[in-house]
Every structure is written in structure tokens, then in C-alpha cells.
Amino acid sequence: MDERVREHAAVLVDWSARVEAGDDVVVSVGPDAHELAVAVAEELGDRGANLLATYSSGEVTRAYIRAHDGDFDESPAHERALVENADVYLSLGGGRNTSATADVPGEQRRAYNDARSELRETRLGTRWVSTVHPTRSLAQQANMAYEAYREFAYDAILRDWESLADEMAQLKDLLDVGSEVRLVSSDTDLTMEIEGRTAVNSAASVAYDSHNLPSGEVFTAPYATEGEVTFDVPMTLRGESVRNVRLEFENGEVVDYDAEQGGAVIGEILETDDGARRLGELGIGMNRGIDRYTDNILFDEKMGDTVHLAVGRAYDACLSEGESGNESAIHVDLITDVSENSRLEIDGEVVQRDGTFRFEDGFDG
Amino acid sequence: MDERVREHAAVLVDWSARVEAGDDVVVSVGPDAHELAVAVAEELGDRGANLLATYSSGEVTRAYIRAHDGDFDESPAHERALVENADVYLSLGGGRNTSATADVPGEQRRAYNDARSELRETRLGTRWVSTVHPTRSLAQQANMAYEAYREFAYDAILRDWESLADEMAQLKDLLDVGSEVRLVSSDTDLTMEIEGRTAVNSAASVAYDSHNLPSGEVFTAPYATEGEVTFDVPMTLRGESVRNVRLEFENGEVVDYDAEQGGAVIGEILETDDGARRLGELGIGMNRGIDRYTDNILFDEKMGDTVHLAVGRAYDACLSEGESGNESAIHVDLITDVSENSRLEIDGEVVQRDGTFRFEDGFDG
């Protein structure tokens, strides 16, 4: 086994999920994530945790949903009981075809996802972490050769997370005391309120309220957004290519949008519900192990020199106890490159210019 | 998808497990049983049952057990909760290497299996069915080419089960009213008591107390065994080749044994506990879709023209309410060919000669 697979498993189990002896761990295994599952099993055995592996296959889900009449049971007893009794939930993504569910009709998909919302909420109550095993299908989606993609993925995953957490804490501190953020670049001039909101230092560990491996971003929940923003990082949303989306905000809501490509998908997303027209997240990518777009949100949104905004649901971790942030059935991230002709201000003070932070060498305020 | 995979899934879901709308179904998927899992998911969706897929990999289990200190938790809460809330448990076997766990030390394996005995009992309380997807590793174990193995496996699995059940009922009736069975062939002369015991018409359906697909045998729980028996069907037990095992019984217990090959494994099995020296099962193979040995007990013991005996645990279905049959931690089947120079008697009356039953054409009593 490639030593990097073992290192990936160790980071996931120790740093990310903080697994301890006696923990009841669910490991969700994608069809091509077998090798990582073996490495994770070894780590869990070594730590004396209890392993139950589930099988997560887009092809299985597609067959099930398409054959069903659409009246899905809400939260089936056996699956609910499993998740309710789990301490840790590790999702090891990795299929053979990233378009495996492309022909599941939207209405069926929504009915299935709606029925599973209680299950999803319960899972979010565990120490959950999502990661991916670098597969050929992900390499293909990234337009990369397999070996090169593996180099890329492990560069992103096998960071010195403790050191990155310290670095990111400096940005979190600036956001936590700030009231207003302004993002300015060639096609963007956007202001957002963040007063009263708490930023998350997303260091790929449940100990930091961070549930992705890789991670490496600082994010908060903005409101009262005004102005225009263009997202120039290409991506695929709901199976459609999306390029250069432009959103215009007034009083916190999207009042106009267009896109060079994929405008129909953006329109559909914004129509989901009221919350889908407001921002749920402002995230600032700080993982410099990620140096290229690979059309995979797990990686792209963490990339150094990028900022992302999500329309839809805000994360509870950014809100005060009992506060309700933006509510929506969706959370869709869009990304903009800030490596050139760009600045991020907090309360009028530049904290990042052309990708370099004020607490880094070479910062030119 | 090969139409036979769909037919296999339909037989499993409808005939074998009797799945109904709203059933909470656990589907345990081997790494190479993916295609069957997709077909089963389609059947379950169509019937409105609830699907939770688990991943059952010898390599994952090996890694976990070997890394563990051996003090395994008994019945972890999350897995117990899952199984307790399942109505149906479908095991789709099929790995990439039938020797995947060959280097797990026996002591570790026993500790793991012992810890999971409560889980196993709970699973036996569901409508459980074990089947296999024909894989290349199973073809290799059978010393067969892959395509030929698939033909073989589907011949065994895609029977007219209702008609076979009717045929097998005739043998069950003879065994149920009988008191003593005698098996005679060139190296065998064995008598067993069966008075008071109930035979199972194992027709590959939970409706018949039958939990294997394929099945096709009638079995009961004998006692007070006397005489000698030689098992001439070759098999692999605990990773070792076993050939021509001879057991000698007195007062129901094995008093002597030898084997042309694998004697040490047989000795180890017989030493497990007191019950391991007594018979737990007499089974008569009646699946004529199975026409060759493939070193896989799921198929071999169901083959027409064979009789098998198991040392160790008896099945509850053969016992009266509350009766305790032979108890043991093990149940190990051994098989003998009865196609030639052979007869099976019940209370002195020949019911099978050279493989042909008294209720069949060509029987020569």
C-alpha cells in the first residue's frame, strides 16, 4: 500500500475525527475508496474503536431512487438507529464515475433528499468528517492524469494542520472583531456585514468545527450584502458547466444575475427558496497545498488565493447560541480568484491584497 | 447488465427474503458484488423497501482485527442498533481473494468472532439470506474459467424453487416420521437417530426456514450416531485442503478420525468443544443445478447425489420448541458422494439408492 494512503487514514482518524478507544465509528466507503477503507480499518483497530462500514455507491442509489415510486420513508428505523448510536461518521468518497446519478430525475432526487433530512441532521450531530480517496474518476473530472492527481490530492490532504490552524487563527481573529467586509477586484465590489458573527478556523478537525479533509479555509456567515461579484473559477453544478457567474445584491438579496455559461442552473438554484437568494457563507481559502482548480468543491474552495461565497444555508457554528442565520434547503458555493488586482478589507483596512495576508511576508497594504 | 444478475436479485428479494413495502433491509455488499447490489437496490426500490448497504470486505476485516489488541467490544451499540432494527438482512458475498484473511492469527479471529456472537444471534432473528455474486475469485477457487463459473452459479441459483420445494417435501415427510437413518457406501456404514426431530425443506426461502441462495437440501438434526463415514468430496477448511476424512462414532461421539490430507485441521475442529465431536446436521443435497464440486460450501453441500454431515451446532428449526440440540461454537460440514454403490435407509427402508430417491423415476429399491 502507498504510504500516503496510511498517512491519510492516520490524519483522518487522529487529527480530523479525534477517534478514541470504544468510539462507535461508521465508515462510509465509496466503491473505489477500498484501499483507504483498509487503511482506516487498521487505524481504528489500533485505537480500539468499533468499526461498521457502510457502502456508498452512486450506482446503487441511482437504481434505488429510479425504481421507487417516490414516496420515500422518512428516516427508516434501521438507518436512524445506526446513526443515532454512532460517535463518529467518516465518509470516504470515491466512485468510478462522478456522473453516476446524472439521470436521476430532479423531482425524485429532491423527494429522496427531503425524506432523508432528519437522518442528515442526526449525522451532523456526530463527529463527522468527509474526505475522498483519489480515484481515476476524480482525476478525470480534474482533467488530470491519475498519478498527477494523486500527487495533487495528497499535497492538499497531508498538510501540517496544526501549523495551518495557527496561521488561520490570525484571520479568524480579524473577522471576529470586524463589522463589515469588502471584497474588491476587477469585476467585483461587494460589502457584507459580519458584526456578531463568529468565524470558523476550518483546520480539518472536529476540534475546530471543521468537517472536511482537506480543509484550510476561514469562513463566517455574512448578511446585508450589497454590490456585485463575479465568480471566475470554473465549476460543475448539478452536472452543468458554470462559468463567470455574476450576482448583484441589494438589501442582502440577489436582484440580478447572469453567467457566461450555466445561467439556467444558477437561476434554478436561486429560485429554490427565499434563503437561496441570500448569502450563507463567506469563505477565504488558505490551503496552499491546493494550487489548481479540479472541479471538486471539497478542494477548490480551500485553495489559497481564492474567496468563495455560498448562497443558501449558513452554518450554525458562525451564529450565536439560538440565533437563526440564513435558512435554506441548499448551500451552493461559488469561487473567485483573488490572486491579482484584488483586495479584501475589514472595516476599511486591507487584510489581504492579491492573495497575500497582512500577517504574511510580502504583504503590501 | 447481464439479465441473470437481475433475475438473481429478483429471486433473492421475492422468493428468498419475501421483502415487502416498508421493510428495513440491510444489504451487506462484498467488494466484487457491486453489480448484484445495484440489481438488488432496484428491486428494493421497486417494492418500496428501505435500503441500507453495508460493506463486507475480508481485507478491511483483516486490517482491523490484526491491528486490534484483541479485547474487542461485545456488540458495539451502533451495529447492534442497526441489526436490531432490521427486518431483512441480505448478504451478497463476493470478494477479490478468497484467502483475504488467511494471515489473521486464529486466536485473534476467535476473539473477534466470540465478541460478535450476540450480533450474530440478533441477525439470525431477521429474515436473513446469504448469497454470492459469481466473482473471479470464486471461479479461481472452483478451478474454473470465469464465464463457465457464471454459467455454473446461475444454474444453481435460478431454479424453479417452488417445484423443487414440492419435490423436497417428499423427503422431508419421510424423515419426519422416521426414527433411524442409515447411510451405507463403500467406506461408510453409519446409523443416526432422528426420532422427534423435524427436517427442514431448505428451498432457499425464509418461508421454509431456509437462508441460503442457492439452497436445495433437506436437513435434520441427528443424534446417537454409530459407525464409520468417509467424506470423499474435496474441500478447503480454514485455508487447508482436506481430503477423504474418515470419522468413527461410538455413542454419538467421534472416537477416532483420520484423513488423507488435512488431518490436523480436522483434529483442531474436533477439539473445539464437546459438541464439536457430535453431529449437528444430516443434510441431503437435492439441487441438480449443481453438478460439480467448486470448493464452496454454499454450493457443494446442496449438490444432487451428495449427503453431508456437520459436526457441531444443530439448527433450532430441527428441534422441538425449547429443546436444546447439540451445542457448539462451530458447525463444520463434510460431504460424501452417494452417486454410486450407496444407499440411504430410513427405518430399514431404502429411500435413496445411488443418488436416486424412491419417489423418482428410475429408483431401484
Side-chain angles (χ1 to χ4, degrees), chain A residues 24-26 34 38 41-42 45-46 48-55 57 59-60 63-64 67-68 73 76-79 81-82 85, chain B residues 24-26 34 38 41-42 45-46 48-55 57 59-60 63-64 67-68 73 76-79 81-82 85:
Chain A
D24 287 331
V25 183
V26 174
H34 174 81
V38 171
E42 190 171 334
D46 182 63
N50 300 316
L51 162 66
L52 184 284
T54 62
Y55 188 58
S57 151
E59 291 181 0
V60 167
Y64 180 77
H68 202 284
D73 268 15
H78 65 336
E79 188 166 3
L82 172 66
N85 284 278
Chain B
D24 287 330
V25 183
V26 174
H34 174 81
V38 171
E42 190 171 333
D46 182 63
N50 299 316
L51 163 65
L52 185 283
T54 61
Y55 188 58
S57 152
E59 291 182 359
V60 167
Y64 180 76
H68 203 283
D73 267 17
H78 64 336
E79 189 167 2
L82 172 67
N85 284 279

Side-chain angles (χ1 to χ4, degrees), chain B residues 6 17 20 28 63 68 71 88-89 124 155 199 206-208 218 221 233 240 255 262 275 307 328 337 346 362 364:
Chain B
R6 287 185 204 280
E20 294 178 3
S28 162
H68 203 283
D71 185 16
V88 176
Y89 193 103
L124 295 180
D155 277 351
V206 297
Y208 289 81
V218 177
V233 173
E240 303 290 333
V255 292
V307 167
S328 174
D337 187 318
I346 299 179
D364 176 14

Side-chain angles (χ1 to χ4, degrees), chain B residues 112-293:
Chain B
Y112 181 71
N113 287 336
D114 286 352
R116 296 174 67 79
S117 64
E118 188 184 318
L119 275 175
R120 214 160 33 239
E121 291 299 323
T122 307
R123 195 172 63 233
L124 295 180
T126 68
R127 275 176 277 145
W128 66 276
V129 183
S130 287
T131 192
V132 293
H133 186 58
T135 61
R136 288 175 175 79
S137 66
L138 290 171
Q140 178 177 327
Q141 179 155 306
N143 197 21
M144 291 174 75
Y146 177 52
E147 275 305 324
Y149 184 75
R150 301 207 326 156
E151 293 287 337
F152 162 81
Y154 290 121
D155 277 351
I157 291 166
L158 303 178
R159 307 304 298 168
D160 179 345
W161 287 107
E162 199 136 20
S163 152
L164 183 52
D166 289 345
E167 193 186 324
M168 294 196 299
Q170 301 173 77
L171 179 59
K172 169 182 160 58
D173 290 347
L174 291 169
L175 287 165
D176 282 351
V177 298
S179 300
E180 187 186 87
V181 173
R182 183 175 174 203
L183 177 64
V184 183
S185 63
S186 44
D187 298 312
T188 293
D189 191 343
L190 198 74
T191 58
M192 298 156 271
E193 301 298 318
I194 56 165
E195 170 91 48
R197 297 291 162 88
T198 305
V200 168
N201 176 350
S202 184
S205 170
V206 297
Y208 289 81
D209 280 322
S210 172
H211 300 273
N212 288 172
L213 177 66
S215 192
E217 60 164 317
V218 177
F219 64 85
T220 188
Y223 53 95
T225 310
E226 297 283 345
E228 282 188 32
V229 54
T230 297
F231 302 98
D232 54 2
V233 173
M235 60 198 306
T236 304
L237 285 177
R238 302 185 179 179
E240 303 290 333
S241 287
V242 169
R243 297 287 179 275
N244 286 323
V245 175
R246 188 190 62 85
L247 299 183
E248 187 182 330
F249 287 85
E250 277 179 27
N251 297 319
E253 294 209 349
V254 175
V255 292
D256 194 22
Y257 71 93
D258 57 43
E260 201 176 294
Q261 208 181 333
V265 176
I266 297 297
E268 191 185 283
I269 287 167
L270 294 171
E271 289 297 318
T272 311
D273 47 33
D274 287 349
R277 303 181 81 83
R278 290 188 291 265
L279 291 185
E281 182 188 1
L282 156 68
I284 297 145
M286 294 182 68
N287 185 335
R288 294 224 165 90
I290 305 174
D291 59 357
R292 57 189 292 170
Y293 317 132

